Structure formats: structure tokens, C-alpha cells
Amino acid sequence: MKKVTDHITHWELLQIEKPARYLGGEVNQAQPKQNPELKICLVFPDLYELGMSNLAIKIFYETLNADPRLQAERAFSPWVDFEKLLRHKNLPLFSLETGTPLNQFDVIFVTLPYEMTFTNVLNLLDLGNIPLTWQERAEGPLVIAGGPSASNPLPVSLFMDAVVIGDGEEVIHEICEFLIEARKSGATREETRKKLTAIESVWVPQFPGKVRRRVYKGFADSAPPLKPVIPNVQAIHNRAALEIFRGCIKGCRFCNAGYYYRPKRERSVDNLVKYSQELLNNTGEESLGLLSLSTSDYCNLDELISRLDRNKLYAEQSISIPSMRMNENTLKLLDTAPHIRKGGLTFAPEAGTQKLRDIINKNITEEDIISVVKATNNSAYRTLKLYFMMGLPFETAEDIEGIADLVLRIEDISRTLKPRKQISISLSGFVPKPFTPFQWSPQASIEEFREKRIFVRQKLQNSKAKVSWREEYLCMLEAVLSRGDERVSKLILEAFKAGCKFDGWNEHFTRSGWEKAFEICQLDPQEYLQQKPIADPLPWDFVDFQVPRAYLEKEYRAAAEIAGVTDL
Amino acid sequence: MNETHEIKARVFYSKTKQACYIAHLDTIDIICKALRRLQLPYQVTQGHHVRPKISFGSPLPLGHASRCEQFVLCLESMVDDQWLKEGLSQQLPDGMDIISVELPCKEEKKGANGDLVDYTFGFTSPETAEKAGEFLSNPETTFSLVSKGRMKEYRLGQALQAINKSSDGNLQLINARFIQGKPEVPSVSKIVTALAEFLGEQKDNLVQIERVSLTKL
Ligand code: SF4
């Protein structure tokens, strides 16, 4: 059978930015099997460079292909130039391994890492000649989604045959096992969907019911992906990814990931050292990335780092720790390990005053930041990045002013240090996410966000700090897409029809497309952004998140109490 | 393995099939990772960002195949050249292969007078091959291309040093020798782009563009 790529000429490929994104053939790519019992395509709804850095894709690719009955391949969102070519030539989107059109797989597993990829999912299905909604799909592959953005599955309910809530490692194999059986028994599509509901944590839009978030209890003793595909186009994170623990114990009240990945499960130092050797041996990556939500909370971090540092495989090997919460201890630790890649100093105080940081339960004080900044005098650290959110629950004008004050204070101190730090701050609008204590909170309006942002910038007009911010409309949209109900599915569909895709990419975001979609669907975004009464049911209450609603409510009340609010 | 001081290995490799669409910097990254996976005793550079001591030949234009790519690697100790050739070949993506290893390798000329580069162009149609041959063999051929945002005029001039035709199965081949790296001489990459433009629709009959050898002058 001819591969789809056989229909694309050399000259056409040369018109495309980074054609190697679409051609496969990388080192460690899985070899096609003779007559596999189930053909799977793992789909990541963003560019190759991003998808090749995604941990979930690496995990599933390796474990699925280890099963002799399964063949798992990959597909990523094509960039607009390649999409144009495919559409112009009437060619379907295809997998990298065998060039097979997406509609010829038995099942498509879609990873949903962030809400802004939802229209890309529709684009991928459309390009793969797969009808967009499950009602229209009488044949062809089942489309099953999972990932943090699917924790409230309602916004994608129109498109998915099933949605997995929570950790996917075990469920994905259970689903495959089940689909093999279903094929053998000649089950109809509807029967197959019905039976999928029996698997814990699988939610089927055609047969909606209660569903429980899956927790992979065996995580601590499991092996991470040890032989990932080596990209032919440098991935966004050019490093060997080693997940050292899953979950986060910090309990920041705005953070969906903190709740989605609970509880904390750590891999042992011994195992991690062993895995790191194998991983580096199999990838040849220069840098070993220690991944988790908050790496400084790993119990034996000192020991882990010193042992990894001692067991270097090659001279230029370095360790990168992307989510390290800096304090004087971690700074000392980094200084004692010469092979740790020291990027800039990054802090996420999120709020400008201690009171608001207490409200959101962000355990970082101004003194923490300042002591670290001072301790970096005469060191190689040159840049300092601070992340803030605006529109947080119970925020006051003082808190917004506090953002600028904090930056100015740090800048003052930095003037006395060598080298002087380049400070940059990132401002983003708060998005009240489901399954967090702030799920009932309202979101500030676009105008409010804008006023706050302008205020901070004005207060910093004489400062050298670089200020960047997230487009306010995107913050609003993210809130609608994460707090949505079934009607939001229709909204996504209309936005896609209006030409929206790559919504997370500034150069492609089409606000007018979304505005048109809201209009067609007669949806008022405000409906999704307003305060939700605690007593009222929430659209996503059917998901048992393994974090009791009562606990989230208690946390919300605790936050309100700090703010002096009793009436919620 | 014998301990010696600076041992240099010259590794010749090919880029064909889909590998010819891998950009030069990505190719370097892929090769460095392959060297590490092989646990080769290579030397590293000094300084802040330590890297393998390796130098690559002139970049291959994107989309051109090649059977004469090379890099020179400094080793800490001697290794078996056959082991290096076979081991490294296994560590490369589809379409990249190690052709030969020269170990230890001789110093190469600096190429101060430019390079002689042999190319093979394969055509599925004799008419297109004929037309391309005319374009390439005429030193008066001129073409315009955008360079650094501005339209620039080029003349083939002495770029083409020799040309002959042959065939291989269903393919009509043009074997062309170009001189490169001289002032006012257009690069092969530019010549091929101009040729494709000249051929218009017929460019789809040009299915093979392969760098066959490169000699420093
Ligand atoms: S913001 Fe970071 S530290 Fe806080 S809960 Fe989320 S992952 Fe943990």
C-alpha cells in the first residue's frame, strides 16, 4: 500500500517549514508489526516539537508497543503550511511510522494537555477524514481522549467516543484489551461504547454516568519510558525526561494540576539512578530533566542529585530541573552540584501581597525571594523571572499594587548585586478551574484584567523590568473551556468551523472566530465566568475526583476567612 | 584501546530518503546524541558549554541527498574503525548511514580556493533532462533569487566545471561538477532552486538531487 507521503513531491516538501516533522524514521521508532490485533494512533494536538516532549505520549508509545498484539503510531498537528498542502492535494493526515491515514486505525487516543488545543483536535480529526462527532461515526476508529484538560469532559463530549479521567497508564491497556475482545466478538459500535463504561475512569458521552478519576497506584514502582523516540527536529525540551514523582502536596488553591495528579507518589533514588543511566544510554541526550510538578519537594533530592552527579555517563552531561522552587537550601544544593544546568531564577509568587498569597495558599514569602536574590550575588544567575496572576479570588486593589511594589523592591536589591539581574514579570488572568477550591469563584472580566494590567505597567514605567502578559480574551476563553458544559462542545465546533486552530499560538489566535461561535451558539461567556453558589450542583459533579467536594469547600471557606469574607 | 594523544577520526556518512529533509543543525544534534549512545571516548570542548570536539563539513542544503557528508571527531583513545562504522550506523535515523571511517585521519586541505562538488541529478523524463542540461551547461545562464530580503541577479559563469549524462534504469542522470566558495559564484543550492524554477511544472520529473563528492581545493 502506498504511504500518504508518496503522494507529496520533493518540491512540495521544500515549501514546508521543517518537513522532517512529518516524515518519521527517527531512532527508537517502533517497528511495524505483522498483523497487529489493534492499530492505535497516539495523537497530540500541537506541533511535533511539543508533542515529542510530552511525557504521556512517551509513556503510552513505549508500553503499548511492548505488547506484541498492539501497534501504536504517532500523529501531531500539522503546521498551517502542511495542512494547506494536505487539503490542497486532498490527502488525509497520516501517522509518522507507516504513513497510514488516521481513519484507518482502530482507535485514536488524543492527549489533551491544555484547553487551547481543543480546536486543533477537531482539525486533526477533520484532516484524518474522521467525522467530528461521535454521533456521526458509524465506522472508523474510536476516538478516546484523556489528559488534564479532560478532567471535566463535558466540553469535549460531542467529539469523543470516550474520555479517560486521571492517570492513563493502566486504563489505556484495559481499553485496548477490551477493544480486542470487542472486535473478536463482533460487538457493534454502540455495544462497544456501552461496555467501555465498565472500565473505571472511562466516561462515555453516549452513556453518561458517574465516573471516578483513576490514580495509578503502581507509579512509584513503575519504570518510566526508557527508550523514547529521538526527534529528527529538535524538541522544545531537548532533554531526557525522567519523572521523579507524580502529584504535589502544596495544595495551592487555584491549581488544577495539584489536585489532578494527587496523591504524591515518589520513585526511589536507587531506581531513579538506575533509570537515568538506561535513559541516557538509550537517548544520548546531553541533559537529564528531572520532572515533577515541584521538584524541590522530592524527599531525597540532595541524595538524588549528588548520586546523579557522580554517575555521569559522559563529560558534557548536565541535569536540568525545570520546576525547582528556589530557596536558600535549594540554591546551596544547586551550587554543590556543578553539572546542574543553571537557568535563570524563577519564582511564582502569583500574588503581590502576603495576605493574598495566604488566601491562595501559595507558600512563598517576599523574604524567601529576597534572600535567594541576595544569595546570588557574585554568581552566574543573571535573570530573574516572576509569575503573577491577576483577578485572584478576594483580591483587592492593594494586592495589584503589591505586584508592582514587590518587583520594585527586588529591583532595588538587585541594583546592589553583581551581576545586576535582568528582571522580567509575567502577568496572567486567574482562571477558576474545576476540582479546585476556587471552582466556585468568579473570573474577573476582560476589562478588569486589562485595567489591572495597565495599572501594574504604569507603576513599573520607570522600572527596567520587562513586563509580558497573557491576552485577556484567552484567559476568559480558557475559563469557559474548562468550566463548560455540553453546550461548550457546540461552541468549540463552531469556532473550528469559523477557522480557529492553534489557539495557544498568538499568530494564529482568531478572536473573531470565537466571537462568531459564541454568537451562533447564543452563549454568553459570562454564564461560565460568574460566581457559582456552593449549594448548587456543578456541571462536573458526576466526576469523583478522589478529592471530596466537602474538602474543596472547606478550603474555599478557609481562603474566604483569611479575606474576612463569611458570606459565600 | 590504546591511549594516545589527539586522535582524529573522519567519518563519512550519507543522507538519503527522508533524512535529506533533516536540517543541518538537527543533523548535528542527532549525530552528537548517537556518539553519546555509542559511549565513544571523544574529547570535549573547554568552556562554559561543554560539547563533543567535532567539526562538520559545509552544510548540505535542505532536500539534497548526499553520499559524501563528513565530520571530524577528536577521540581520547583509539577505537576500532569497523566497530565505529557499524556501531554508529545503527544509531542513526532512517536514511542516514555511515559510509566509511578514516582513523586516524589525515589533515585535510583548508579549501581556501573553494570546493569542487559533484552532483547527480536524476530525471524521469529525457526531455526534462535535456532542458536541465541546457540550463546548466550554458555559462551565460542568469537567474534572479531573493537573497537577504532583496532580489539578486546571478550568472552561472564558471560555477559549472563539467557535465555528462548517463542513465540508471528508468532515470536519466546528469552528473555535474560545480565549483563552490568563490566570490560571485552562485551556490549549488541557488542553482538548483533556479533550475527548478526554470523547469516549471516539469520540475516534478527531477526526482533525485544528490551530492556525490566534495573536494577541497
Ligand atoms: S502551583 Fe505548583 S506547588 Fe502549587 S499545587 Fe500547583 S503544582 Fe503544586
Side-chain angles (χ1 to χ4, degrees), chain A residues 178-202:
Chain A
F178 170 81
L179 292 180
I180 290 173
E181 286 310 310
R183 275 184 73 180
K184 280 184 189 153
S185 68
T188 64
R189 208 168 170 95
E190 188 166 329
E191 285 162 355
T192 307
R193 287 197 197 110
K194 175 89 187 141
K195 286 186 177 168
L196 277 173
T197 58
I199 301 176
E200 188 201 334
S201 80
V202 176

Side-chain angles (χ1 to χ4, degrees), chain B residues 41-53:
Chain B
Y42 53 78
Q43 294 190 3
V44 290
T45 57
Q46 304 295 311
H48 185 61
H49 193 179
V50 182
R51 319 216 80 218
K53 238 181 174 180

Side-chain angles (χ1 to χ4, degrees), chain B residues 29-48:
Chain B
D29 190 54
I30 286 167
I31 288 175
C32 288
K33 284 175 185 162
L35 296 173
R36 291 190 201 107
R37 286 197 297 278
L38 203 57
Q39 305 217 358
L40 203 63
Y42 53 78
Q43 294 190 3
V44 290
T45 57
Q46 304 295 311
H48 185 61

Side-chain angles (χ1 to χ4, degrees), chain A residues 248 250-252 254-255 258 293 362:
Chain A
C248 177
K250 288 293 167 196
C252 304
F254 56 84
C255 177
L293 286 174
K362 187 81 204 183

Side-chain angles (χ1 to χ4, degrees), chain A residues 267-282:
Chain A
R267 289 186 165 128
S268 71
V269 173
D270 283 347
N271 280 343
L272 287 171
V273 172
K274 192 179 82 193
Y275 296 145
S276 73
Q277 303 283 306
E278 212 173 318
L279 187 57
L280 290 167
N281 254 327
N282 291 335

